[in-house]
Amino acid sequence: MRRAPLFSVASIAFSAAMAAILCSSACSDDKTSVAPPGNDSGTPDTSTGSSVTLAFEARVGSEPFKCTSTYSKLGTTKATLNITDFKLFVYDVRLVGKDGTETPVSLTQDQKWQYQNVALLDFEDRTGSCRNGTTDTNTKITGTVPPGEYRGVRFRLGLPPALNHGNATLAPAPLNDEELFWTWASGYKFLRIDSRAVRDDAGAGDAGTDDAGHGDMDAGDGGMNHGGNPLTFFVHLGSAGCKGEPQVGEKVTCTYRNVPDIDLPAFDPAKNKIVLDYAALVSENDVSGGGMCMSSPTEPRCVPIFKHLGLDIATGNPAPGQTTFRVE
Ligand SMILES: [Cu+2]
């Protein structure tokens, strides 16, 4: 593996800032870390955490995602389509040091997109084909980390179990997005990307019969009421095999957590962005309509989707090999 360059997150304290400037051109992998400023006691001073912003971009191959764009040559049938929704939850964001240690990013609590260690990324703006969405968008994660030397970033796609089975109508933002709430037991859709094919035979075909996997859904899946449309293809990631009724105080356990742990080993937040590529996600699926992946381990269409998200569909655990996220 190529060694990734380090980047510095320094505090605004002069000494640390100078060290970072010097470091940007002259640091090698074996240099020492930038020391935290102030505080003679040696105890960590959490008030001096440095700001960090992680920029994300939704992409369809080489093209930026827009609700007003039409994309072509997607999936196994080289389909042409519009995207109608594009949202995901991310949590447990960590910067990775040169020795592989992880430092959690403390997220800014903004009462809107970020709550505890969770952030909602929302790329759709309710224009064009995105009729069900919200006009607001959020394409970044903001927070603080201790000053130091970092080389990469890791984050989980989804929600922590403790936040995944509440009541979306009462939950604090961004967990109050009912478009992403699935059922009490299953919890939220961690990722929702919906598309609608553009076809010459639009509406005339019988592709709706091509719906294997319907009968495999968890009971009560709210998504099923839009299943079978001959033009649509839905990717809804969430936990599966969940048992328990949180409405009456029961703890929910899910056999398949389905939370990818994304590891991007070379990432500098000052220079790079994290690209989420729909074309890569569905590269081994037929997205010409009449299909979906709703995260059941028995849905054939979820097999390649899970592979490209870095999930073992047999266990619901993270697996190497994701291709959906990359650094640019
Ligand atoms: Cu659905």
Side-chain angles (χ1 to χ4, degrees), residues 221-235:
D221 174 15
M224 294 316 297
N225 59 10
H226 53 229
N229 184 305
L231 294 176
T232 57
F233 188 88
F234 297 133
V235 179

Side-chain angles (χ1 to χ4, degrees), residues 182 189 192 194 217 221-227 234-236 292-294:
W182 215 329
K189 295 164 187 166
R192 175 175 185 162
D194 296 344
M217 293 306 305
D221 174 15
M224 294 316 297
N225 59 10
H226 53 229
F234 297 133
V235 179
H236 295 178
M292 61 182 72
C293 164
M294 295 280 154

Side-chain angles (χ1 to χ4, degrees), residues 289-305:
M292 61 182 72
C293 164
M294 295 280 154
S295 297
S296 163
T298 57
E299 285 179 272
R301 288 181 184 81
C302 286
V303 173
I305 297 276

Side-chain angles (χ1 to χ4, degrees), residues 80-132:
T80 299
L81 54 77
N82 301 120
I83 290 176
T84 61
D85 210 338
F86 206 132
K87 293 181 183 178
L88 64 152
F89 285 109
V90 166
Y91 79 102
D92 194 19
V93 180
R94 292 146 282 157
L95 296 185
V96 182
K98 63 179 180 176
D99 61 355
T101 54
E102 298 179 341
T103 301
V105 177
S106 178
L107 300 191
T108 307
Q109 301 297 292
D110 64 4
Q111 325 297 326
K112 183 161 187 177
W113 301 109
Q114 303 190 153
Y115 175 73
Q116 294 185 2
N117 65 343
V118 172
L120 173 63
L121 297 172
D122 177 353
F123 297 103
E124 63 74 30
D125 60 4
R126 204 183 168 93
T127 62
S129 51
C130 303
R131 269 161 274 174
N132 298 319

